[in-house]
Amino acid sequence: MKIEGNVLFGLFIISSLAYAGYIHQPISVNTTLNATVNFTCQASGVHLMNFFVNGTPAIERSIVDKGFWLSQSTSNGITTTVLTVCTHEMNNNTNVSCQIVPGDINSTTATLIIQGLLASVGDLTYTFINGSSVLLSWTAPYTLDNVPITGYHINDGSMNYITNDTFFILSSIDPDPCNLTNVFVSAGNKAGLGLPNHISFYYKKVPPLTPTVSVTPVVNEMDQLSLIITINASELCIGEYPDNITIDVLTTDGTVVYSNSISPEINNQSMIMTGHSPLILPDTPTVFIINVSLSNEGGEFNDVSPFTLGIPGPVTNIRLINDSCSAVTIAWDSPQCTYILCDVLYYKLSINGAQLSVNNTYFTFEDENVFNHHYNIIVTGVNVIGEGIDTNAIITNEKVPDPPLEDTTSLNVSNDTMTVQYNISVTVEHVCLGRGPRDVYVTLQCNETGFVNTSVEYISGPTNILGSFLLPENQWCNLTIVFSNDAGSSDPLILNIMAINILPSPSSTPKPSGKLPWWIWIFVAIGCGICVIATAACICIIAVIKCRKVQRSKSRRGHMAFPDSLISSNQKSTRTYDKYDPQRPLQDPSSSTTIILDAVTSDPQVTDAYMGGSYQEGKVLEPVKSPDKEGKPVFETPTKPKDMGATVPSISGSIGSSHVLQAQFADQQNQEKTD
């Protein structure tokens, strides 16, 4: 009986193993947090079916505490077991399998993958449709298969929006360009909203006033021309900043020769926006009109005044400056700029044909020819466009000469030859400083006879001008000296000269008359020969005495004034020059400078009248009535004034070879008067 029982049990086991098998095994599941997931095992011909969670029977307490529980049912020989699990985060990536008995046959392993909150959307960007509408776009975050994103949530701080698309148009009825708009975008699933991504922007708007714009052309190291556009953004809100600068370059006839669009950059410290653009222009320098327009997503700004780009204009006020007698400075004023280009890169300077490049508005050079005050100058400004307009000038620093000075002019009046010699000095200081004369005019004019004589001397530097004129006899004359150059003529220096010839001529010497009236000769003829001879001798003696008395009476009426040149070089004379007064007649000695001779001549008629005289303040002493023992007249010396100083010494000299000047000057306070 025991053997039969064992056989029957074995047959049962074999029959059970022959029919036991899985009909449905668990499969992997992707799900979200806080969901419920069922894993199912179904088999036939089994007595027992168990689930394992990560290799641990699902009936274990530790597995149950994680939210796992089992349910099993059998129908028509088919056993179905269900493992239910709550998708807590700790159950993510859980492996699930089942096992049937008899045979301890294991099923395939399924994995539970739980999708949590989604990551942030990617590549969030914005694009302005206009100043008040912005297109937002992004990419979806990663999510598990079969775990869909339920939507995207958009928040701009004032409103919440939901979309199933990865783009959204955000609009504002009254956008404020001065306030920053922050937009948050989050992806959602059954677990909730994922991590948000955000983006910020200012709504764009055209400012009511166009900001200040300036344009500057520059040349780089490669000699390439470009434009720098600067915009003063200090009065703009950020949403009012221009996003685009358009440049159009036209010729004066409206032909567009260059166009470009650039985006400016802002310097937040200086609040200056700057844009750089290459500039390609025709080879021929001319004038170009540069139109600059600004815009942002809000629209086009109001018109910006056009700019003009051209070659420099002419320089002005070319002038010559003498810093010293050897250095010359040429200066000028920069062009009056009507274009945007006001700064000249450099100047081309031509000085008497020599070409130079100058970075300043002046140039100093050494000139060995200190008397050259005339230069042919050409100045041309050069900028990035090319050479400007030439300015030609023939310049000089000559000024009207200073008048000749008395202390640099000397005269010598000669009685022997009746000439006046002059010596006029021209200094180097006058010449190199531009006040030197080019011509010297010396004129001698005597009004009584209308005698005029002029000498012209051309000079080119410091010198002494020597010359002489013949003098007419016994006339008052003006010697006039005038300096002249290209700038004009100086004031005249006028010297007055009294020309008196006191040398006697044979015809002027008084002689006793050799002719007697006819009745005397008749009377003599009647007389005897001896009486006739005696009477004739007496008459001759009487005639000579009478002539001398007449000469003495003339000398008492005044003194004679002589040029000092009539006295020999070893005699002392006094000469003074007064400024010429055109209101006084030349022939009046009282109104002109008088050249006074402090001696007397040896002319028989003059010497007798002046011999023994004394000179005080231009006066000749009166002779007394009684002669001395030798028959010479005696002069009385007037009392000497307190301010006269020392007594004038006696002097003597000679004029010519046969006349001797002798004068005795002494203080004689008491002398007898004589005729």
Side-chain angles (χ1 to χ4, degrees), residues 5-272:
N6 291 334
V7 171
L8 291 174
F9 180 75
L11 293 173
F12 173 78
I13 294 300
I14 292 172
S15 63
S16 298
L17 290 173
Y19 291 98
Y22 286 103
I23 299 174
H24 184 80
Q25 297 186 48
I27 59 176
S28 297
V29 176
N30 294 334
T31 187
T32 60
L33 285 172
N34 303 321
T36 300
V37 176
N38 293 323
F39 292 94
T40 302
C41 264
Q42 194 176 45
S44 61
V46 298
H47 298 289
L48 182 64
M49 183 181 291
N50 292 320
F51 264 95
F52 290 88
V53 177
N54 292 328
T56 301
I59 61 176
E60 292 288 340
R61 188 67 186 177
S62 60
I63 300 302
V64 173
D65 290 341
K66 290 182 179 181
F68 292 85
W69 69 90
L70 292 172
S71 63
Q72 189 173 29
S73 64
T74 302
S75 174
N76 299 322
I78 298 174
T79 301
T80 301
T81 302
V82 177
L83 177 63
T84 302
V85 59
C86 291
T87 57
H88 301 306
E89 186 175 357
M90 61 183 175
N91 295 327
N92 189 27
N93 294 320
T94 299
N95 294 321
V96 177
S97 64
C98 57
Q99 188 181 57
I100 58 175
V101 177
D104 294 333
I105 302 173
N106 294 323
S107 68
T108 59
T109 299
T111 303
L112 173 63
I113 301 176
I114 301 172
Q115 174 68 60
L117 296 177
L118 296 171
S120 61
V121 298
D123 300 329
L124 178 60
T125 60
Y126 68 91
T127 302
F128 278 97
I129 299 174
N130 53 50
S132 59
S133 297
V134 177
L135 174 63
L136 301 175
S137 61
W138 60 88
T139 58
Y142 172 80
T143 185
L144 296 174
D145 293 340
N146 303 320
V147 182
I149 297 174
T150 58
Y152 297 95
H153 296 253
I154 301 156
N155 187 312
D156 66 354
S158 60
M159 294 286 292
N160 289 318
Y161 308 93
I162 299 176
T163 182
N164 292 324
D165 300 317
T166 56
F167 59 87
F168 185 77
I169 295 177
L170 188 64
S171 298
S172 175
I173 298 175
D174 186 19
D176 186 353
C178 298
N179 290 331
L180 182 66
T181 299
N182 295 302
V183 178
F184 296 87
V185 179
S186 302
N189 58 17
K190 290 182 179 180
L193 294 178
L195 294 176
N197 195 355
H198 82 281
I199 195 169
S200 300
F201 58 86
Y202 288 87
Y203 282 104
K204 295 295 184 179
K205 195 173 184 179
V206 174
L209 297 176
T210 301
T212 302
V213 178
S214 63
V215 179
T216 304
V218 294
V219 178
N220 60 19
E221 296 177 353
M222 303 298 294
D223 290 335
Q224 295 173 336
L225 183 61
S226 63
L227 290 178
I228 299 178
I229 294 91
T230 57
I231 304 168
N232 184 359
S234 60
E235 301 297 328
L236 299 179
C237 292
I238 296 179
E240 295 175 332
Y241 286 172
D243 298 324
N244 185 73
I245 302 174
T246 301
I247 302 167
D248 294 317
V249 182
L250 303 85
T251 58
T252 53
D253 60 2
T255 303
V256 178
V257 295
Y258 182 77
S259 294
N260 193 22
S261 294
I262 58 176
S263 297
E265 297 178 354
I266 181 68
N267 185 322
N268 292 319
Q269 292 182 348
S270 63
M271 297 304 295
I272 297 296

Side-chain angles (χ1 to χ4, degrees), residues 496-558:
N496 301 324
I497 302 173
M498 179 64 175
I500 299 177
N501 183 4
I502 62 172
L503 291 179
S505 62
S507 61
S508 63
T509 303
K511 296 181 180 179
S513 178
K515 295 181 180 181
L516 294 175
W518 60 271
W519 57 270
I520 296 178
W521 289 108
I522 294 175
F523 178 77
V524 172
I526 296 173
C528 63
I530 296 174
C531 292
V532 170
I533 294 173
T535 302
C538 292
I539 293 173
C540 290
I541 293 172
I542 294 171
V544 171
I545 293 172
K546 287 183 178 182
C547 289
R548 290 183 178 179
K549 288 183 178 181
V550 171
Q551 185 64 31
R552 291 192 192 98
S553 64
K554 289 181 181 180
S555 64
R556 295 191 186 99
R557 299 188 189 121

Side-chain angles (χ1 to χ4, degrees), residues 459-478:
I459 63 173
S460 60
T463 185
N464 286 334
I465 302 170
L466 303 176
S468 63
F469 288 118
L470 291 174
L471 293 173
E473 297 182 3
N474 304 323
Q475 289 194 40
W476 285 91
C477 301
N478 286 345

Side-chain angles (χ1 to χ4, degrees), residues 1 18 30 34 126 133 153 157 210 246 265 284 288 296 374 380 390 393 410 516 549 567 613-614 627 648:
M1 289 297 294
N30 294 334
N34 303 321
Y126 68 91
S133 297
H153 296 253
T210 301
T246 301
E265 297 178 354
T284 303
F288 301 98
N296 61 18
H374 295 76
T380 307
D390 295 342
S410 62
L516 294 175
K549 288 183 178 181
I567 306 174
S614 176
V648 180

Side-chain angles (χ1 to χ4, degrees), residues 335-386:
Q336 297 295 324
C337 182
T338 57
Y339 308 135
I340 62 172
L341 180 63
C342 293
D343 294 331
V344 177
L345 296 179
Y346 64 93
Y347 295 93
K348 294 182 66 177
L349 175 62
S350 173
I351 305 175
N352 293 339
Q355 300 294 328
L356 303 166
S357 294
V358 181
N359 294 324
N360 301 309
T361 57
Y362 61 89
F363 180 72
T364 301
F365 61 97
E366 298 290 330
D367 190 353
E368 295 180 356
N369 182 7
V370 298
F371 311 119
N372 179 23
H373 303 292
H374 295 76
Y375 297 91
N376 188 358
I377 305 298
I378 302 176
V379 183
T380 307
V382 181
N383 65 7
V384 295
I385 302 301

